[in-house]
PDB file of all heavy atoms in Angstrom:
ATOM      1  N   LEU A  35      -5.792 -12.332 -21.811  1.00  0.00           N
ATOM      2  CA  LEU A  35      -6.306 -13.210 -20.766  1.00  0.00           C
ATOM      3  C   LEU A  35      -7.630 -13.808 -21.152  1.00  0.00           C
ATOM      4  O   LEU A  35      -7.862 -15.009 -21.030  1.00  0.00           O
ATOM      5  CB  LEU A  35      -6.334 -12.491 -19.495  1.00  0.00           C
ATOM      6  CG  LEU A  35      -6.665 -13.399 -18.195  1.00  0.00           C
ATOM      7  CD1 LEU A  35      -5.492 -14.376 -18.073  1.00  0.00           C
ATOM      8  CD2 LEU A  35      -6.702 -12.374 -17.060  1.00  0.00           C
ATOM      9  N   PRO A  60     -14.930 -24.136 -14.094  1.00  0.00           N
ATOM     10  CA  PRO A  60     -14.306 -22.795 -13.749  1.00  0.00           C
ATOM     11  C   PRO A  60     -13.038 -22.708 -14.442  1.00  0.00           C
ATOM     12  O   PRO A  60     -12.301 -23.691 -14.547  1.00  0.00           O
ATOM     13  CB  PRO A  60     -14.337 -22.794 -12.273  1.00  0.00           C
ATOM     14  CG  PRO A  60     -15.213 -23.884 -11.817  1.00  0.00           C
ATOM     15  CD  PRO A  60     -15.335 -24.886 -12.801  1.00  0.00           C
ATOM     16  N   PRO A  61     -12.623 -21.527 -14.724  1.00  0.00           N
ATOM     17  CA  PRO A  61     -11.110 -21.392 -15.345  1.00  0.00           C
ATOM     18  C   PRO A  61     -10.092 -21.697 -14.216  1.00  0.00           C
ATOM     19  O   PRO A  61     -10.325 -21.542 -13.088  1.00  0.00           O
ATOM     20  CB  PRO A  61     -11.050 -19.766 -15.652  1.00  0.00           C
ATOM     21  CG  PRO A  61     -12.546 -19.354 -15.688  1.00  0.00           C
ATOM     22  CD  PRO A  61     -13.283 -20.171 -14.739  1.00  0.00           C
ATOM     23  N   ALA A  62      -9.028 -22.169 -14.839  1.00  0.00           N
ATOM     24  CA  ALA A  62      -8.034 -22.559 -13.923  1.00  0.00           C
ATOM     25  C   ALA A  62      -7.205 -21.311 -13.451  1.00  0.00           C
ATOM     26  O   ALA A  62      -6.727 -21.354 -12.224  1.00  0.00           O
ATOM     27  CB  ALA A  62      -6.942 -23.496 -14.669  1.00  0.00           C
ATOM     28  N   ASP A  63      -7.083 -20.294 -14.225  1.00  0.00           N
ATOM     29  CA  ASP A  63      -6.360 -18.999 -13.827  1.00  0.00           C
ATOM     30  C   ASP A  63      -7.221 -18.351 -12.722  1.00  0.00           C
ATOM     31  O   ASP A  63      -8.455 -18.194 -12.907  1.00  0.00           O
ATOM     32  CB  ASP A  63      -6.194 -18.194 -15.013  1.00  0.00           C
ATOM     33  CG  ASP A  63      -5.329 -17.015 -14.708  1.00  0.00           C
ATOM     34  OD1 ASP A  63      -5.716 -16.100 -13.854  1.00  0.00           O
ATOM     35  OD2 ASP A  63      -4.212 -16.870 -15.340  1.00  0.00           O
ATOM     36  N   PRO A  64      -6.654 -18.016 -11.652  1.00  0.00           N
ATOM     37  CA  PRO A  64      -7.427 -17.331 -10.554  1.00  0.00           C
ATOM     38  C   PRO A  64      -8.002 -15.958 -10.963  1.00  0.00           C
ATOM     39  O   PRO A  64      -9.007 -15.545 -10.443  1.00  0.00           O
ATOM     40  CB  PRO A  64      -6.442 -17.172  -9.467  1.00  0.00           C
ATOM     41  CG  PRO A  64      -5.070 -17.346  -9.984  1.00  0.00           C
ATOM     42  CD  PRO A  64      -5.323 -18.152 -11.218  1.00  0.00           C
ATOM     43  N   VAL A  65      -7.453 -15.251 -11.873  1.00  0.00           N
ATOM     44  CA  VAL A  65      -7.918 -13.982 -12.360  1.00  0.00           C
ATOM     45  C   VAL A  65      -9.183 -14.236 -13.263  1.00  0.00           C
ATOM     46  O   VAL A  65     -10.192 -13.512 -12.969  1.00  0.00           O
ATOM     47  CB  VAL A  65      -6.897 -13.208 -13.335  1.00  0.00           C
ATOM     48  CG1 VAL A  65      -7.492 -11.987 -13.908  1.00  0.00           C
ATOM     49  CG2 VAL A  65      -5.726 -12.844 -12.432  1.00  0.00           C
ATOM     50  N   LEU A  66      -9.081 -15.272 -13.978  1.00  0.00           N
ATOM     51  CA  LEU A  66     -10.405 -15.548 -14.795  1.00  0.00           C
ATOM     52  C   LEU A  66     -11.479 -16.129 -13.935  1.00  0.00           C
ATOM     53  O   LEU A  66     -12.627 -15.879 -14.173  1.00  0.00           O
ATOM     54  CB  LEU A  66     -10.025 -16.552 -15.875  1.00  0.00           C
ATOM     55  CG  LEU A  66      -9.192 -16.120 -16.996  1.00  0.00           C
ATOM     56  CD1 LEU A  66      -8.805 -17.110 -18.081  1.00  0.00           C
ATOM     57  CD2 LEU A  66      -9.984 -14.978 -17.809  1.00  0.00           C
ATOM     58  N   ARG A  67     -11.070 -16.810 -12.909  1.00  0.00           N
ATOM     59  CA  ARG A  67     -12.046 -17.293 -11.883  1.00  0.00           C
ATOM     60  C   ARG A  67     -12.746 -16.064 -11.189  1.00  0.00           C
ATOM     61  O   ARG A  67     -14.016 -16.150 -10.894  1.00  0.00           O
ATOM     62  CB  ARG A  67     -11.536 -18.203 -10.791  1.00  0.00           C
ATOM     63  CG  ARG A  67     -11.338 -19.581 -11.319  1.00  0.00           C
ATOM     64  CD  ARG A  67     -11.162 -20.647 -10.208  1.00  0.00           C
ATOM     65  NE  ARG A  67     -10.243 -20.262  -9.242  1.00  0.00           N
ATOM     66  CZ  ARG A  67      -8.918 -20.762  -9.406  1.00  0.00           C
ATOM     67  NH1 ARG A  67      -8.599 -21.410 -10.370  1.00  0.00           N
ATOM     68  NH2 ARG A  67      -8.015 -20.355  -8.401  1.00  0.00           N
ATOM     69  N   ARG A  68     -11.987 -15.003 -10.964  1.00  0.00           N
ATOM     70  CA  ARG A  68     -12.586 -13.787 -10.354  1.00  0.00           C
ATOM     71  C   ARG A  68     -13.472 -13.102 -11.357  1.00  0.00           C
ATOM     72  O   ARG A  68     -14.596 -12.565 -11.044  1.00  0.00           O
ATOM     73  CB  ARG A  68     -11.399 -12.885  -9.919  1.00  0.00           C
ATOM     74  CG  ARG A  68     -11.807 -11.735  -9.163  1.00  0.00           C
ATOM     75  CD  ARG A  68     -11.988 -12.107  -7.637  1.00  0.00           C
ATOM     76  NE  ARG A  68     -12.235 -10.753  -6.895  1.00  0.00           N
ATOM     77  CZ  ARG A  68     -11.260 -10.214  -6.243  1.00  0.00           C
ATOM     78  NH1 ARG A  68      -9.946 -10.486  -6.324  1.00  0.00           N
ATOM     79  NH2 ARG A  68     -11.539  -9.095  -5.501  1.00  0.00           N
ATOM     80  N   LEU A  69     -13.065 -13.007 -12.680  1.00  0.00           N
ATOM     81  CA  LEU A  69     -13.791 -12.296 -13.648  1.00  0.00           C
ATOM     82  C   LEU A  69     -15.120 -13.135 -14.021  1.00  0.00           C
ATOM     83  O   LEU A  69     -16.092 -12.540 -14.465  1.00  0.00           O
ATOM     84  CB  LEU A  69     -12.964 -12.136 -14.881  1.00  0.00           C
ATOM     85  CG  LEU A  69     -11.830 -11.115 -14.762  1.00  0.00           C
ATOM     86  CD1 LEU A  69     -10.967 -11.092 -16.052  1.00  0.00           C
ATOM     87  CD2 LEU A  69     -12.326  -9.683 -14.506  1.00  0.00           C
ATOM     88  N   PHE A  70     -14.988 -14.446 -13.936  1.00  0.00           N
ATOM     89  CA  PHE A  70     -16.052 -15.334 -14.369  1.00  0.00           C
ATOM     90  C   PHE A  70     -16.272 -16.355 -13.190  1.00  0.00           C
ATOM     91  O   PHE A  70     -16.139 -17.463 -13.351  1.00  0.00           O
ATOM     92  CB  PHE A  70     -15.783 -16.100 -15.652  1.00  0.00           C
ATOM     93  CG  PHE A  70     -15.372 -15.127 -16.811  1.00  0.00           C
ATOM     94  CD1 PHE A  70     -14.151 -15.051 -17.136  1.00  0.00           C
ATOM     95  CD2 PHE A  70     -16.373 -14.497 -17.585  1.00  0.00           C
ATOM     96  CE1 PHE A  70     -13.742 -14.175 -18.268  1.00  0.00           C
ATOM     97  CE2 PHE A  70     -16.054 -13.760 -18.539  1.00  0.00           C
ATOM     98  CZ  PHE A  70     -14.646 -13.543 -18.808  1.00  0.00           C
ATOM     99  N   PRO A  71     -16.951 -15.850 -11.970  1.00  0.00           N
ATOM    100  CA  PRO A  71     -17.148 -16.750 -10.875  1.00  0.00           C
ATOM    101  C   PRO A  71     -18.309 -17.638 -11.139  1.00  0.00           C
ATOM    102  O   PRO A  71     -19.138 -17.438 -12.061  1.00  0.00           O
ATOM    103  CB  PRO A  71     -17.515 -15.693  -9.840  1.00  0.00           C
ATOM    104  CG  PRO A  71     -18.096 -14.397 -10.491  1.00  0.00           C
ATOM    105  CD  PRO A  71     -17.430 -14.394 -11.953  1.00  0.00           C
ATOM    106  N   LEU A 153     -10.351  -5.845 -10.856  1.00  0.00           N
ATOM    107  CA  LEU A 153     -10.636  -7.275 -10.377  1.00  0.00           C
ATOM    108  C   LEU A 153      -9.443  -8.145 -10.739  1.00  0.00           C
ATOM    109  O   LEU A 153      -8.988  -8.939 -10.006  1.00  0.00           O
ATOM    110  CB  LEU A 153     -11.886  -7.937 -11.009  1.00  0.00           C
ATOM    111  CG  LEU A 153     -13.230  -7.458 -10.485  1.00  0.00           C
ATOM    112  CD1 LEU A 153     -14.372  -7.899 -11.212  1.00  0.00           C
ATOM    113  CD2 LEU A 153     -13.362  -7.802  -8.954  1.00  0.00           C
ATOM    114  N   ALA A 154      -8.832  -7.974 -11.982  1.00  0.00           N
ATOM    115  CA  ALA A 154      -7.760  -8.849 -12.366  1.00  0.00           C
ATOM    116  C   ALA A 154      -6.533  -8.459 -11.494  1.00  0.00           C
ATOM    117  O   ALA A 154      -5.832  -9.366 -10.988  1.00  0.00           O
ATOM    118  CB  ALA A 154      -7.385  -8.480 -13.862  1.00  0.00           C
ATOM    119  N   ILE A 155      -6.227  -7.093 -11.451  1.00  0.00           N
ATOM    120  CA  ILE A 155      -5.091  -6.727 -10.586  1.00  0.00           C
ATOM    121  C   ILE A 155      -5.232  -7.143  -9.018  1.00  0.00           C
ATOM    122  O   ILE A 155      -4.255  -7.673  -8.490  1.00  0.00           O
ATOM    123  CB  ILE A 155      -4.846  -5.269 -10.701  1.00  0.00           C
ATOM    124  CG1 ILE A 155      -4.422  -4.980 -12.113  1.00  0.00           C
ATOM    125  CG2 ILE A 155      -3.581  -4.918  -9.706  1.00  0.00           C
ATOM    126  CD1 ILE A 155      -4.259  -3.470 -12.463  1.00  0.00           C
ATOM    127  N   GLY A 156      -6.490  -6.989  -8.639  1.00  0.00           N
ATOM    128  CA  GLY A 156      -6.712  -7.257  -7.181  1.00  0.00           C
ATOM    129  C   GLY A 156      -6.654  -8.790  -6.976  1.00  0.00           C
ATOM    130  O   GLY A 156      -6.004  -9.288  -5.931  1.00  0.00           O
ATOM    131  N   SER A 157      -6.917  -9.680  -7.875  1.00  0.00           N
ATOM    132  CA  SER A 157      -6.749 -11.127  -7.720  1.00  0.00           C
ATOM    133  C   SER A 157      -5.241 -11.436  -7.836  1.00  0.00           C
ATOM    134  O   SER A 157      -4.832 -12.324  -7.013  1.00  0.00           O
ATOM    135  CB  SER A 157      -7.430 -11.808  -9.040  1.00  0.00           C
ATOM    136  OG  SER A 157      -7.257 -13.143  -8.879  1.00  0.00           O
ATOM    137  N   ARG A 158      -4.484 -10.860  -8.612  1.00  0.00           N
ATOM    138  CA  ARG A 158      -3.132 -11.106  -8.613  1.00  0.00           C
ATOM    139  C   ARG A 158      -2.505 -10.654  -7.251  1.00  0.00           C
ATOM    140  O   ARG A 158      -1.397 -11.278  -6.820  1.00  0.00           O
ATOM    141  CB  ARG A 158      -2.372 -10.257  -9.749  1.00  0.00           C
ATOM    142  CG  ARG A 158      -2.616 -10.804 -11.115  1.00  0.00           C
ATOM    143  CD  ARG A 158      -2.056 -12.163 -11.455  1.00  0.00           C
ATOM    144  NE  ARG A 158      -2.263 -12.520 -12.768  1.00  0.00           N
ATOM    145  CZ  ARG A 158      -2.652 -13.660 -13.205  1.00  0.00           C
ATOM    146  NH1 ARG A 158      -3.107 -14.588 -12.356  1.00  0.00           N
ATOM    147  NH2 ARG A 158      -2.778 -13.984 -14.457  1.00  0.00           N
ATOM    148  N   LEU A 159      -3.018  -9.607  -6.724  1.00  0.00           N
ATOM    149  CA  LEU A 159      -2.435  -9.076  -5.448  1.00  0.00           C
ATOM    150  C   LEU A 159      -3.098  -9.788  -4.323  1.00  0.00           C
ATOM    151  O   LEU A 159      -2.887  -9.496  -3.143  1.00  0.00           O
ATOM    152  CB  LEU A 159      -2.766  -7.611  -5.209  1.00  0.00           C
ATOM    153  CG  LEU A 159      -1.975  -6.577  -6.184  1.00  0.00           C
ATOM    154  CD1 LEU A 159      -2.496  -5.277  -6.084  1.00  0.00           C
ATOM    155  CD2 LEU A 159      -0.462  -6.643  -5.875  1.00  0.00           C
ATOM    156  N   GLU A 160      -4.161 -10.791  -4.588  1.00  0.00           N
ATOM    157  CA  GLU A 160      -4.801 -11.515  -3.448  1.00  0.00           C
ATOM    158  C   GLU A 160      -5.616 -10.695  -2.509  1.00  0.00           C
ATOM    159  O   GLU A 160      -5.611 -10.870  -1.355  1.00  0.00           O
ATOM    160  CB  GLU A 160      -3.717 -12.473  -2.677  1.00  0.00           C
ATOM    161  CG  GLU A 160      -3.030 -13.428  -3.664  1.00  0.00           C
ATOM    162  CD  GLU A 160      -2.156 -14.352  -2.867  1.00  0.00           C
ATOM    163  OE1 GLU A 160      -1.773 -13.960  -1.704  1.00  0.00           O
ATOM    164  OE2 GLU A 160      -1.682 -15.331  -3.494  1.00  0.00           O
ATOM    165  N   ILE A 161      -6.159  -9.641  -3.080  1.00  0.00           N
ATOM    166  CA  ILE A 161      -7.091  -8.825  -2.344  1.00  0.00           C
ATOM    167  C   ILE A 161      -8.496  -9.391  -2.315  1.00  0.00           C
ATOM    168  O   ILE A 161      -9.145  -9.790  -3.413  1.00  0.00           O
ATOM    169  CB  ILE A 161      -7.212  -7.414  -3.027  1.00  0.00           C
ATOM    170  CG1 ILE A 161      -5.857  -6.733  -3.007  1.00  0.00           C
ATOM    171  CG2 ILE A 161      -8.165  -6.495  -2.312  1.00  0.00           C
ATOM    172  CD1 ILE A 161      -5.829  -5.422  -3.758  1.00  0.00           C
TER     173      ILE A 161
END
Side-chain angles (χ1 to χ4, degrees):
L35 186 64
D63 189 299
V65 174
L66 288 175
R67 281 201 304 273
R68 188 82 174 267
L69 292 172
F70 305 102
L153 284 174
I155 296 173
S157 180
R158 292 288 187 233
L159 291 171
E160 300 181 346
I161 297 171

